[in-house]
Amino acid sequence: MESKVLPIAQSPAPSSPTFSDKAKDFNLQTPAAKSPAPSITPSTPLSVQDIRRWKPAAQRNLRNQWSKLASLQTQWLSLSSTARSYASNVVNSYLSQRYMDAMELGVLTEMPDIRKKACRKLLRQQVIIVTNRSKLLSSYKDMVAVVTQMVNVSKSMRCYLKGSSGTSVTEFSCFPGNQNDTGDCDGIPVFTFWSIFDFEKLAEELVQMFVSETSIKRLLVMEICSIGAEDFSQVERLKWNDHFYVGEFDDLCICKSSSNEVVKQLVPRVESCNFQSTSMQSSSQLERSILQVYLTTWIAEVNVDRFRIGELLTIAGEEMHVAIS
């Protein structure tokens, strides 16, 4: 009598832990959980050997790109600090010269020709204004260049196969050589839990901070560099739709900034003042307050969350098993 073997239903395999569980202490979800991966054309399947070779290449590329991001964000913050000092010099020099006639000198008033001598000395401030204005524009150009590099780095995290699959020698690149190659090996984890798409979403969040803050910096540069346009022939007033330097709009397009959108200026400028009238005092105080707001806004950098940046770098580093600083 033949014995029959009944099929045994297999129990579902336990699901592997997700990185979101690991990151609860950081109050962070896996990027893919927040935003699902976009639908793409299925790529040509790689052989087992190609996948084994792809992972080390993809891991090296991700570590390199995130190291570049960390370095670039530090460079941007340094440039912002330098530009702020130029902006402060422009504001202080302008206010000193603009309101000397109405400035209270106290006991110094009794000194002969003290006000005339001070005015002659302050005429040299025009050179300081023009010089620092030029340096401020140069620093802004460098800041945009750094943000452009950050955007390019965030888009260079995929690892593409060069040549055909299954060959004895396999090479990889950051640039697609085959339109069917998505560069993420069909979304498999690169290290432990995350796919390349997850790393891209994390980098996108980081880079977007600096893209948004650079747009605010552009508005502040426009206003600060236009200080004295009514009084000094050497100073030309900037407008929002002007090129602040050659090729700026091309860089801003890379950053996806709305460079062609002309917006109204946030604060009306004081067009004329009577130095001998009491109304001048209120206008003077208004302009001083406005310029102080500009400098305070520059210092605040409301779009750049430094704590969050450190958190993003820490979590990406933990997944890649490296320390990013």
Side-chain angles (χ1 to χ4, degrees):
M1 187 174 182
E2 297 181 356
S3 59
K4 295 183 180 180
V5 180
L6 297 177
I8 300 176
Q10 296 182 353
S11 58
S15 58
S16 58
T18 62
F19 189 74
S20 59
D21 295 329
K22 181 182 177 181
K24 283 182 179 179
D25 293 339
F26 295 94
N27 192 26
L28 176 76
Q29 293 181 347
T30 304
K34 294 181 179 180
S35 177
S39 58
I40 53 179
T41 305
S43 61
T44 303
L46 299 178
S47 65
V48 176
Q49 289 184 349
D50 288 337
I51 292 177
R52 289 175 179 174
R53 295 168 182 169
W54 176 86
K55 269 200 170 185
Q59 290 172 356
R60 285 193 300 270
N61 182 55
L62 281 174
R63 290 190 178 110
N64 289 338
Q65 302 304 338
W66 274 92
S67 178
K68 290 178 183 178
L69 274 181
S71 176
L72 288 171
Q73 64 92 17
T74 301
Q75 184 180 350
W76 189 95
L77 292 173
S78 176
L79 288 170
S80 176
S81 178
T82 302
R84 185 195 67 207
S85 66
Y86 296 142
S88 298
N89 291 340
V90 171
V91 170
N92 293 334
S93 298
Y94 170 72
L95 291 177
S96 298
Q97 183 174 359
R98 178 76 181 270
Y99 298 110
M100 171 52 70
D101 290 341
M103 191 175 297
E104 292 292 339
L105 301 180
V107 295
L108 296 178
T109 307
E110 299 177 1
M111 298 180 63
D113 298 329
I114 181 62
R115 197 177 295 276
K116 290 182 180 180
K117 292 178 181 179
C119 288
R120 283 197 299 268
K121 187 174 182 179
L122 286 175
L123 285 176
R124 303 173 188 172
Q125 298 290 336
Q126 293 187 23
V127 178
I128 297 178
I129 291 176
V130 174
T131 301
N132 284 279
R133 179 182 187 271
S134 177
K135 290 180 179 180
L136 177 58
L137 286 172
S138 179
S139 294
Y140 165 74
K141 178 181 178 181
D142 293 339
M143 292 168 65
V144 174
V146 170
V147 173
T148 302
Q149 293 179 58
M150 294 178 71
V151 171
N152 290 333
V153 167
S154 68
K155 296 179 180 179
S156 302
M157 296 195 173
R158 297 186 176 243
C159 189
Y160 299 93
L161 175 66
K162 291 178 64 177
S164 57
S165 175
T167 58
S168 57
V169 179
T170 307
E171 295 181 342
F172 297 92
S173 170
C174 294
F175 306 99
N178 184 345
Q179 62 179 359
N180 293 326
D181 185 5
T182 59
D184 64 348
C185 208
D186 292 332
I188 66 172
V190 184
F191 292 92
T192 307
F193 302 107
W194 283 13
S195 67
I196 286 184
F197 175 75
D198 296 324
F199 283 102
E200 287 177 331
K201 294 301 295 181
L202 213 63
E204 181 183 351
E205 179 183 350
L206 188 150
V207 172
Q208 186 58 41
M209 295 184 192
F210 294 92
V211 172
S212 300
E213 186 62 27
T214 301
S215 293
I216 291 182
K217 291 289 192 287
R218 188 178 195 273
L219 177 62
L220 296 175
V221 167
M222 179 189 73
E223 288 293 337
I224 293 173
C225 285
S226 297
I227 290 176
E230 296 85 356
D231 304 307
F232 312 137
S233 58
Q234 300 96 322
V235 177
E236 180 181 358
R237 184 173 184 81
L238 293 177
K239 298 179 181 178
W240 180 255
N241 58 336
D242 287 341
H243 293 260
F244 290 5
Y245 62 87
V246 178
E248 182 201 11
F249 282 7
D250 293 334
D251 293 340
L252 293 179
C253 286
I254 294 176
C255 301
K256 295 182 179 179
S257 177
S258 56
S259 58
N260 293 322
E261 181 183 357
V262 182
V263 297
K264 295 181 179 180
Q265 296 178 7
L266 299 181
V267 182
R269 295 182 58 84
V270 178
E271 296 297 335
S272 61
C273 296
N274 181 2
F275 291 109
Q276 304 302 325
S277 65
T278 56
S279 62
M280 184 278 302
Q281 298 293 338
S282 59
S283 299
S284 170
Q285 186 63 36
L286 175 62
E287 188 171 33
R288 290 172 187 268
S289 300
I290 292 172
L291 296 178
Q292 184 63 41
V293 167
Y294 291 162
L295 296 179
T296 303
T297 303
W298 192 295
I299 296 172
E301 293 180 344
V302 292
N303 291 295
V304 179
D305 187 343
R306 301 197 183 201
F307 176 80
R308 179 60 177 165
I309 290 173
E311 189 178 60
L312 295 176
L313 295 177
T314 298
I315 295 202
E318 284 190 354
E319 173 66 9
M320 296 186 292
H321 313 298
V322 294
I324 305 175
S325 59

